[in-house]
Amino acid sequence: MIVTHTIGETREALSQAHRTAKTIGLVPTMGALHSGHMSLVDAARSGCDFVAVSIFVNPTQFAPSEDLDTYPRAPEADLNACESHGVDLVFMPSVEDVYGQGALTQVWVEELSETLCGRSRPTHFRGVCTIVAKLLNIFQPHRAYFGAKDYQQVSIIRRMVSDLSFPVEIIACPTVREADGLAMSSRNAYLSPEERRQAPALSVALQRAKESIRRSHPPAPHAIREIRDYLAHEAPAGTIEYVQAVDPDTLRDVETTEGPLVLALAVRFGHTRLIDNVLVDAPQRAP
Ligand code: PAF
């Protein structure tokens, strides 16, 4: 496994890979790799000849009040995990190498970045799109893999790739969950034992709402109210940031639950912000 630290070294290793490998897959991460990340690596490994992972805690996607300094970092364990999952190259740059020369250019996807998480994190997706655009340019992969847990992130990246004609296929892999349903996240490590006990309520609330939509098609505000009530009861340590029912493509709020939609939420437990979502893609009326 090759480990690179600079953009120059990476481009050099990639130019060799582009000569010999038919398909190159990139898994962009911020490290502290868990089974969710490794499922992306495994998907890349089974679909591509050459698999690259980037590990970079990208400062531009954190607001000054957010957890950049305390974000979990585990470089040794990450390298071991990559090695044992058959990764060909890991790129672990420093902030200086990525942004050292200063940058006057940023990528901003309108509308899609302004709803859901974008309401409380107005600069977040600008940072995400800019770093992902840079990584796509550095690696020029045929495929790039992202987790569906960050539904909005994947939608925005797909739109960026389409609007800016990046020649890459964006693959969204299913959310990997703990046995009790909690979506895997590097931030789960911050939860206190009591918060951890309550956190699975997020996915349970979404699943219950999905079933109720498939059964009886309540108006969307009604489904949202059910989720909020369930969380108030089962996760009282959490503060709800948002619960929304949105169109899967435009991310605009929907009023009815007759068509496909995504239920998405963000809940804060102390300083730990958790997100989750569920796609309700083919609502069916009860027979
Ligand atoms: O999902 C993440 O871990 C990050 O937002 C990403 C895509 C690696 C960009 O820094």
Side-chain angles (χ1 to χ4, degrees):
M1 185 173 79
I2 309 167
V3 180
T4 60
H5 297 280
T6 67
I7 294 174
E9 282 169 352
T10 311
R11 280 198 199 281
E12 208 173 297
L14 259 293
S15 73
Q16 170 70 21
H18 275 282
R19 276 197 296 276
T20 53
K22 268 218 297 283
T23 47
I24 293 178
L26 172 65
V27 183
T29 80
M30 298 207 300
L33 302 180
H34 51 65
S35 314
H37 296 112
M38 299 328 288
S39 75
L40 306 180
V41 170
D42 293 344
R45 186 66 286 168
S46 63
C48 304
D49 303 314
F50 186 95
V51 175
V53 173
S54 64
I55 298 180
F56 179 60
V57 183
N58 173 37
T60 65
Q61 67 190 74
F62 291 80
S65 60
E66 292 180 349
D67 57 343
L68 173 63
D69 293 339
T70 53
Y71 194 83
R73 287 165 171 86
E76 290 301 318
D78 289 349
L79 285 175
N80 289 337
C82 287
E83 179 103 62
S84 66
H85 283 250
V87 170
D88 296 295
L89 181 145
V90 179
F91 176 43
M92 298 176 103
S94 67
V95 174
E96 290 65 40
D97 192 68
V98 174
Y99 293 117
Q101 77 280 29
L104 301 177
T105 307
Q106 294 179 331
V107 184
W108 172 242
V109 177
E110 291 178 355
E111 279 187 40
L112 299 182
S113 304
E114 290 157 28
T115 182
L116 301 167
C117 293
R119 290 198 177 140
S120 66
R121 307 185 78 191
T123 57
H124 173 66
F125 291 112
R126 188 190 309 266
V128 169
C129 286
T130 305
I131 190 66
V132 171
K134 256 172 108 78
L135 292 169
L136 293 177
N137 280 331
I138 294 165
F139 286 86
Q140 312 211 341
H142 300 90
R143 298 187 185 132
Y145 294 78
F146 298 88
K149 185 186 72 111
D150 298 292
Y151 186 91
Q152 184 177 16
Q153 172 170 278
V154 182
S155 305
I156 290 171
I157 289 171
R158 277 193 202 288
R159 186 61 193 247
M160 173 188 80
V161 158
S162 153
D163 286 353
L164 298 182
S165 308
F166 280 92
V168 63
E169 186 185 353
I170 299 300
I171 314 248
C173 297
T175 303
V176 177
R177 297 180 181 278
E178 304 284 358
D180 57 13
L182 176 64
M184 289 210 182
S185 162
S186 305
R187 291 189 169 103
N188 291 350
Y190 299 150
L191 296 171
S192 72
E194 180 53 23
E195 290 167 345
R196 176 65 188 79
R197 199 188 61 72
Q198 295 183 20
L202 275 60
S203 69
V204 177
L206 291 170
Q207 282 307 325
R208 286 166 56 106
K210 176 174 177 168
E211 279 154 30
S212 134
I213 289 171
R214 290 170 75 93
R215 235 183 2 256
S216 60
H217 294 279
H222 182 100
I224 290 170
R225 170 57 48 202
E226 273 184 17
I227 294 173
R228 285 183 166 274
D229 288 348
Y230 185 84
L231 290 174
H233 199 257
E234 299 298 325
T239 305
I240 298 172
E241 189 179 283
Y242 69 78
V243 180
Q244 283 179 245
V246 298
D247 178 279
D249 299 319
T250 64
L251 304 186
R252 293 201 188 117
D253 289 306
V254 295
E255 285 304 315
T256 74
T257 58
E258 300 285 336
L261 60 98
V262 173
L263 293 168
L265 53 75
V267 175
R268 285 180 194 277
F269 289 90
H271 293 298
T272 310
R273 185 173 176 282
L274 302 183
I275 58 172
D276 203 349
N277 69 78
V278 67
L279 178 65
V280 189
D281 54 352
Q284 286 158 9
R285 287 194 176 280

